[in-house]
Amino acid sequence: STPPAIVDLKRGLSVNDRFLFQRELFGNNSQQMNESMNKLSTFETYEQAENYLRENKSWDFEDSTVLEFLSVIEKGLSSRNR
C-alpha cells in the first residue's frame, strides 16, 4: 500500500492565523512553527498529532488559541483521510 500523502497543513492557515499561532504558540519563531507543522503533517490521524503536541508542548490545551490551532490541524489531517 502507498503511504498517505503528506498534507501541507500550513495551507489551511490564513495569514492572520499564521501570525497569531506563531506569536502565541511558538514564541514568534517561524522556523519552530514550520518544523512543528511539518512534523504534524506526518501523522496519519488527528489523535496522533494531538498526543504528540500534548507530550512535546507545554501549552494550555484549554486556551482558545491552542484549540483553534488544533482545529486547523484536525481539518488538515481529516482532509487527507477522505
Side-chain angles (χ1 to χ4, degrees):
S1 70
T2 59
I6 297 291
V7 172
D8 182 2
L9 294 171
K10 293 187 291 280
R11 272 197 336 221
L13 294 177
S14 70
V15 171
N16 288 344
D17 280 347
R18 186 185 297 246
F19 283 119
L20 172 72
F21 297 148
Q22 184 177 303
R23 187 180 69 232
E24 300 288 321
L25 303 180
F26 296 96
N28 229 356
N29 183 327
S30 63
Q31 184 182 348
Q32 190 183 72
M33 178 166 152
N34 288 336
E35 286 169 4
S36 290
M37 298 293 276
N38 291 340
K39 174 73 177 167
L40 291 169
S41 69
T42 66
F43 293 110
E44 297 208 12
T45 67
Y46 168 71
E47 287 71 28
Q48 291 170 327
E50 183 183 351
N51 288 339
Y52 168 80
L53 287 171
R54 286 182 180 274
E55 287 167 16
N56 292 280
K57 299 289 181 195
S58 54
W59 293 345
D60 170 5
F61 283 84
E62 303 301 308
D63 180 76
S64 61
T65 305
V66 173
L67 294 172
E68 203 173 318
F69 181 76
L70 293 176
S71 107
V72 168
I73 302 305
E74 186 172 23
K75 273 192 210 116
L77 290 177
S78 67
S79 70
R80 171 176 59 202
N81 297 325
R82 278 193 207 120

